[in-house]
Every structure is written in C-alpha cells, then in structure tokens.
Amino acid sequence: MLTPEQVREFALAMPEAVEQETWGHPTFRVRDRIFASTSADGVVAIIRASKEEQAELMAADPDTYDPADYFGRYGWVRAQLASADPDEIRELVVEGWRRAAPKRLVAQYDGTPARTPGR
C-alpha cells in the first residue's frame, strides 16, 4: 500500500518542490504552481495530468483512478493510495511536476540546455 509519506517523498525529490498546506491538506508546488497533493485523511493523491493520461488511467484501472474534484475537467487525476502502484504514482508525480515547472527548470532537470528565443 502506498502512503502519503511516499507521495510526499516523490514530490519533494523534484527540483524546487515545496510543500504547503492549502485547503486543509498538503499540496506540492514548484514556483507556486501545484502539481500534486494528498487528502487530509491520506487516502488519495491528486496529481496534475493531461486529459489523455487521465482517460488512459481510468480505462486501465477505474477502481484506482478517477477525475479529481473541481480540476478533473483539466486532466487532474485522483488516485486511491490503497490500490495505486507506487512506480506509476512516482511517474505521475514527475510528469505533474513537468507540467507545472518552468521550461528552463525542466530542461535543467533533463540535463539539456534550454533553447534561447531566436536561435
């Protein structure tokens, strides 16, 4: 079983990630943009994803994944930690961070130079 502490570790391992309590539960941010959170009771993780990823996850495992409240229409996914695969959640957290982080920071994380406009 995946724990909220493991989700926290995955999130805070990302460059410039910070934890901030918002709406009564932990949220994980990069430069003030949320990319993941866990519920106050530690039962679910909410992760920034694309609509395509959300649809694939829900089709593959509807008991574990469903659209997140309020932000599900944008692709955010809610994962039941009791049945979620830790490797899949880690990958989702990394991809959520990529969506929230500035392009230069993502390029730095990937070890590739950021492109300069006009070149």
Side-chain angles (χ1 to χ4, degrees), residues 74-98:
Y74 302 111
W76 287 71
V77 67
R78 177 175 42 211
Q80 301 296 322
L81 295 181
S83 56
D85 177 290
D87 292 332
E88 190 164 53
I89 295 298
R90 180 184 296 118
E91 183 178 321
L92 284 169
V93 167
V94 170
E95 290 306 310
W97 175 87
R98 287 174 175 283

Side-chain angles (χ1 to χ4, degrees), residues 2-44:
L2 190 61
T3 67
E5 289 75 25
Q6 288 172 294
V7 175
R8 176 179 286 111
E9 288 175 19
F10 299 157
L12 295 178
M14 301 309 299
E16 297 189 27
V18 296
E19 181 175 350
Q20 179 179 335
E21 185 173 324
T22 305
W23 308 301
H25 60 88
T27 63
F28 304 98
R29 302 165 181 251
V30 57
R31 297 199 185 167
D32 210 32
R33 296 185 68 185
I34 299 172
F35 64 93
S37 68
T38 56
S39 60
D41 61 8
V43 173
V44 299

Side-chain angles (χ1 to χ4, degrees), residues 51-88:
K51 289 182 180 182
E52 294 78 20
E53 282 177 318
Q54 181 192 65
E56 289 172 12
L57 290 164
M58 290 171 32
D61 191 352
D63 292 332
T64 300
Y65 299 101
D66 65 321
D69 293 337
Y70 310 111
F71 301 107
R73 64 185 168 159
Y74 302 111
W76 287 71
V77 67
R78 177 175 42 211
Q80 301 296 322
L81 295 181
S83 56
D85 177 290
D87 292 332
E88 190 164 53

